[in-house]
Amino acid sequence: MMNWLSSWWRGGTAVVEPASARDAARLAQLHGASFARGWGEGEFESMMSERNTLVQRFRLGRKTIGFAVSRIGADEAEILSIAIDADYRGRGLSRALLLTHLGHLAGRGVRTIFLEVEENNQPARKLYERVGFVVVGRRERYYKQPDGEQLNALLMRRDLS
């Protein structure tokens, strides 16, 4: 999948690879720019040190433009977060990152993936639905916004086997 992306992009090689502690600052920056409550460097460093957590960065050339984080338990995983730099959105890169991340999870024996997405986040919902996730539940007032508003979350699932 990454070969066609690298050819199409022509801005350098597209790579999804394990993140390291030295990526924590950039991942925190991307997360903070993408979500109402961003995760800090320490949170990323902590997740990277956990054996059951897969933290991957998405790099184009030398620049990290995205990441995906999942926590694995037995043959299931939960996608905790996925983000692409705002300057690179709308180009199919989120889909490439997500599909590659799912492939890595499958390679670790994961058969079922779950995630939560804010109910009104249409771009994210469309992405997840396009790669085979289906809504299996709803959590009322799950996401708290900086202004105090509470938004609903949808629980989505995809089977890999």
Side-chain angles (χ1 to χ4, degrees):
M1 169 149 234
M2 291 288 113
N3 287 337
W4 73 263
L5 186 59
S6 294
S7 300
W8 170 80
W9 181 253
R10 296 185 202 160
T13 303
V15 178
V16 175
E17 60 194 1
S20 70
R22 66 179 180 265
D23 297 312
R26 176 64 176 147
L27 301 186
Q29 178 186 39
L30 287 166
H31 196 276
S34 300
F35 300 98
R37 191 198 91 58
W39 295 344
E41 278 183 62
E43 289 170 285
F44 276 99
E45 289 169 349
S46 177
M47 286 185 284
M48 286 182 232
S49 71
E50 297 171 2
R51 293 184 63 215
N52 67 332
T53 304
L54 178 61
V55 182
Q56 295 181 300
R57 70 179 184 162
F58 185 19
R59 186 172 50 80
L60 284 178
R62 300 176 117 198
K63 184 174 184 177
T64 297
I65 63 151
F67 68 85
V69 180
S70 292
R71 184 159 290 133
I72 302 166
D75 65 347
E76 295 182 348
E78 178 184 8
I79 295 177
L80 303 177
S81 190
I82 184 168
I84 292 285
D85 186 311
D87 292 339
Y88 295 88
R89 291 181 191 156
R91 302 177 190 186
L93 298 172
S94 295
R95 185 173 189 271
L97 169 59
L98 179 57
L99 288 172
T100 303
H101 188 72
L102 293 176
H104 285 270
L105 290 168
R108 290 183 174 209
V110 171
R111 298 169 56 111
T112 306
I113 311 285
F114 294 93
L115 61 83
E116 282 132 2
V117 62
E118 191 264 303
E119 187 174 46
N120 297 329
N121 185 342
Q122 293 303 318
R125 287 182 60 187
K126 186 186 288 187
L127 167 67
Y128 299 137
E129 289 166 1
R130 282 184 176 162
V131 299
F133 281 87
V134 295
V135 174
V136 294
R138 184 172 184 213
R139 298 176 196 244
E140 298 290 325
R141 300 187 312 263
Y142 184 76
Y143 291 109
K144 186 173 182 179
Q145 301 300 295
D147 65 1
E149 182 182 11
Q150 293 181 314
L151 304 174
N152 299 330
L154 297 177
L155 177 62
M156 300 185 84
R157 172 188 173 145
R158 178 179 171 187
D159 293 329
L160 296 178
S161 55

